[in-house]
């Protein structure tokens, strides 16, 4: 496991954009982290960089029962989504 050099906790798309622009300008790797469910080692910071912990971005923005789709931010967990869907007949 290779830890990042720093961790940030953005809480909005605008903050993610600003941080990403700064990392891009400074040529610093960005390592996204949503809810920690990845098994592929995607959060392994092999070249250092900044970990964008997106777990605080946990809004469920839109639910469409008609087409079985939901728009969520990257920090929404499966359990939180299922809790939101309770009573609709749907689950993730």
């Amino acid at each position: 496991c290779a830890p990042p050099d720093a961790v940030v906790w953005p809480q909005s798309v605008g903050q993610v954009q600003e941080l990403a622009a700064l990392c891009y300008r400074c040529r610093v790797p960005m390592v996204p982290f949503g809810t920690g469910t990845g098994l592929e080692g995607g959060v392994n910071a092999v070249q250092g960089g900044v970990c964008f912990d997106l777990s605080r971005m946990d809004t469920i923005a839109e639910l469409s029962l008609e087409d079985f789709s939901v728009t969520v931010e990257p920090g929404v967990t499966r359990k939180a989504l299922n809790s939101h869907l309770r009573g609709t007949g749907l689950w993730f």
Side-chain angles (χ1 to χ4, degrees):
C1 179
D5 298 313
V7 179
V8 294
W9 287 267
Q11 296 181 25
S12 69
V13 172
Q15 288 178 348
V16 171
Q17 291 170 331
E18 289 177 25
L19 290 163
L22 179 62
C23 287
Y24 177 78
R25 280 195 307 274
C26 296
R27 302 182 61 82
V28 173
M30 296 174 283
V31 182
F33 178 84
T35 59
T37 59
L39 300 175
E40 301 84 14
V43 297
N44 201 5
V46 294
Q47 296 179 348
V50 177
C51 176
F52 285 47
D53 185 331
L54 304 170
S55 61
R56 295 182 182 169
M57 293 179 66
D58 59 356
T59 299
I60 298 172
E62 185 179 343
L63 170 62
S64 174
L65 298 175
E66 296 77 33
D67 64 4
F68 306 109
S69 69
V70 62
T71 303
V72 300
E73 290 183 338
V76 173
T77 65
R78 173 187 52 83
K79 288 182 180 181
L81 180 56
N82 280 334
S83 207
H84 183 81
L85 294 172
R86 188 172 289 126
T88 66
L90 302 175
W91 69 91
F92 179 75

